[in-house]
Amino acid sequence: MAIINKGSHTTQKFRAAYILLNCDEGDHSEKVTNEQISKVLKVGMRTIDRVKKKFVEEGFEAVLERRPTTRAYEKKIDGDVEAKLVQLCCSEPPPGFAKWSLRLLADRMVELGYVPSISHVSVGEGFKKNELKPWKVKGWVIPPKSNGEFVANMERVLDVYKRPYDANNPVVCMDESPKQLISAGQLSVPMRPGQEARVDYEYVRHGMVNIFMANEPLKGKRMVEVTEYKAKKDWAKFIKKLADEQYPEADKITLVMDNFSTHTASALYETFEPEEAKRLWDRFEFVFTPKHGSWLNMAEIELHVLNGQCLNRHISTMDEIKREINAWQDSRNNKGGRINWQFTTADSRIKLKRLYPSIDD
């Protein structure tokens, strides 16, 4: 009774204790058949018989304790097989498969005659030892070898990020991202106690919109604009709003952005009269991130926050997405969340040393 009434015990102990209590035929208990015990406790008849037998032969403590298995298993992977597994994992998967899976590798090991038989669990143990993850693919965003153009543009961006806050010359980061307008194809089931919300995979597509994001990391300020397209004229109009509505008093705006074909001074001249285009161009200092270096653009961080907090759901119309983004923008700006950029030029020369050309060659 002590086990059932108090303390924290394993499920196996509780089950054994309940079986023995119901099997008790003392003066103050009623006889209960195995069928009744099985029905009430939801356990098999053989389990009840094993508990009773163990209690008679080995005593009460032996019933409550689960003995570790002593079965010896033959080791499937030795050094030679492990080397072949690593070699196979690093090779191209067979036709029809994008990447290796544990079961696919296990089958292939047997087909090649490396082992008579092997389970996917044993293959997984070999992966843990050698730190292999064939199911995981990491996106490549840094050049694979030394690249003088990359490091030159990277160091320029990092120098800009070192500047102290200056209201007359603010540092602003700008990025853009497409967003698909979709509505649910089936009615969703709302969340309730004990059950998560359920959203059907079926959806209806209503086109695309483009999202321009500009943020000032040192002030915790961001401006988001939703447009139907992302052509040169859309970018030029966004730049004009940035200059005249967000920073009308600034002498010069340093704008960090990716080097896209639409992000050029020519877009201003293709959108506005020459006098207006020149006026806007003189207001900005354009600083471009290197190719494969979009991670250096802090506006990308804000876009990830926007997607995670606001846009990760079904939104079907442009008006709705504008309302939701404006609400998110107001909330985010009121909090004044800043980005504390830590990566410096000194760090880059250590961590990305392989990207710097060698002048001794």
Side-chain angles (χ1 to χ4, degrees):
M1 290 295 293
I3 293 176
I4 294 173
N5 292 334
K6 62 181 180 180
S8 177
H9 306 282
T10 64
T11 303
Q12 188 264 342
K13 281 189 177 183
F14 276 118
R15 184 179 62 184
Y18 274 115
I19 291 174
L20 292 177
L21 280 173
N22 282 280
C23 291
D24 182 25
E25 297 183 10
D27 296 335
H28 303 287
S29 61
E30 298 180 2
K31 181 176 177 59
V32 181
T33 64
N34 283 6
E35 289 81 1
Q36 292 173 315
I37 297 173
S38 175
K39 185 176 181 180
V40 172
L41 299 183
K42 307 297 182 184
V43 295
M45 301 285 285
R46 294 182 62 185
T47 301
I48 299 172
D49 288 335
R50 280 198 300 268
V51 171
K52 292 163 67 175
K53 181 180 179 182
K54 196 169 187 178
F55 174 70
V56 173
E57 295 178 351
E58 303 180 36
F60 181 67
E61 294 298 329
V63 175
L64 299 181
E65 296 299 329
R66 183 187 294 272
R67 293 182 179 177
T69 181
T70 57
R71 182 185 298 179
Y73 292 94
E74 180 184 355
K75 189 176 180 180
K76 292 285 186 180
I77 300 181
D78 56 18
D80 182 54
V81 173
E82 185 177 296
K84 291 178 179 177
L85 174 61
V86 172
Q87 183 182 12
L88 182 62
C89 178
C90 295
S91 66
E92 289 294 323
F97 295 90
K99 51 192 174 183
W100 289 106
S101 67
L102 298 181
R103 287 180 169 82
L104 185 60
L105 282 165
D107 293 341
R108 189 63 175 160
M109 292 283 286
V110 175
E111 290 173 8
L112 293 174
Y114 295 156
V115 288
S117 65
I118 190 172
S119 70
H120 67 282
V121 177
S122 297
V123 172
E125 291 298 324
F127 283 168
K128 289 180 182 178
K129 181 179 179 181
N130 293 281
E131 298 184 359
L132 293 172
K133 299 177 182 179
W135 56 86
K136 187 175 182 180
V137 178
K138 195 170 186 178
W140 191 260
V141 293
I142 298 177
K145 55 184 179 180
S146 63
N147 189 314
E149 182 180 0
F150 180 92
V151 297
N153 286 287
M154 175 181 65
E155 290 204 354
R156 188 184 180 204
V157 172
L158 295 176
D159 282 346
V160 168
Y161 287 167
K162 290 194 301 184
R163 296 178 187 175
Y165 175 72
D166 184 356
N168 290 321
N169 185 11
V171 174
V172 181
C173 300
M174 177 255 150
D175 201 2
E176 58 198 72
S177 175
K179 170 62 180 175
Q180 191 173 206
L181 299 176
I182 58 175
S183 61
Q186 302 288 339
L187 291 177
S188 301
V189 179
M191 179 179 62
R192 64 184 184 185
Q195 179 179 297
E196 302 87 351
R198 297 180 179 179
V199 179
D200 196 277
Y201 283 112
E202 182 181 347
Y203 65 87
V204 180
R205 191 173 184 272
H206 299 282
M208 301 283 292
V209 294
N210 179 65
I211 299 172
F212 285 114
M213 165 70 74
N215 76 297
E216 188 180 357
L218 294 181
K219 194 174 180 181
K221 176 182 178 181
R222 69 270 309 141
M223 171 188 170
V224 189
E225 180 82 7
V226 181
T227 61
E228 190 173 357
Y229 304 105
K230 56 171 291 184
K232 281 186 174 182
K233 291 186 177 181
D234 298 292
W235 176 80
K237 292 175 182 178
F238 178 71
I239 291 300
K240 178 178 172 61
K241 284 187 177 181
L242 199 62
D244 296 344
E245 297 179 15
Q246 298 297 316
Y247 301 97
E249 305 298 329
D251 297 330
K252 181 78 76 172
I253 304 167
T254 300
L255 189 64
V256 180
M257 55 187 170
D258 296 339
N259 195 1
F260 292 155
S261 59
T262 54
H263 299 172
T264 62
S266 64
L268 301 175
Y269 284 88
E270 294 175 19
T271 308
F272 307 109
E273 293 296 328
E275 295 79 7
E276 178 67 1
K278 184 66 167 63
R279 181 188 72 85
L280 290 171
W281 190 8
D282 289 342
R283 293 286 311 282
F284 286 92
E285 175 195 3
F286 293 159
V287 177
F288 296 104
T289 61
K291 186 180 180 181
H292 298 302
S294 61
W295 54 274
L296 288 163
N297 189 347
M298 283 193 263
E300 191 173 273
I301 298 174
E302 283 295 331
L303 275 176
H304 280 301
V305 176
L306 172 63
N307 285 321
Q309 293 183 347
C310 177
L311 302 182
N312 189 20
R313 51 181 162 156
H314 290 165
I315 300 179
S316 59
T317 66
M318 192 167 181
D319 289 338
E320 183 183 2
I321 201 171
K322 284 182 177 180
R323 287 195 305 270
E324 294 298 322
I325 286 180
N326 286 336
W328 174 87
Q329 175 183 283
D330 293 341
S331 173
R332 187 87 170 147
N333 283 339
N334 289 335
K335 292 180 180 178
R338 303 177 183 180
I339 298 176
N340 183 17
W341 186 262
Q342 298 288 327
F343 194 69
T344 65
T345 301
D347 294 329
S348 71
R349 293 176 182 177
I350 297 173
K351 296 181 179 180
L352 301 179
K353 182 179 178 180
R354 61 181 177 79
L355 298 181
Y356 284 79
S358 175
I359 61 175
D360 297 328
D361 294 343

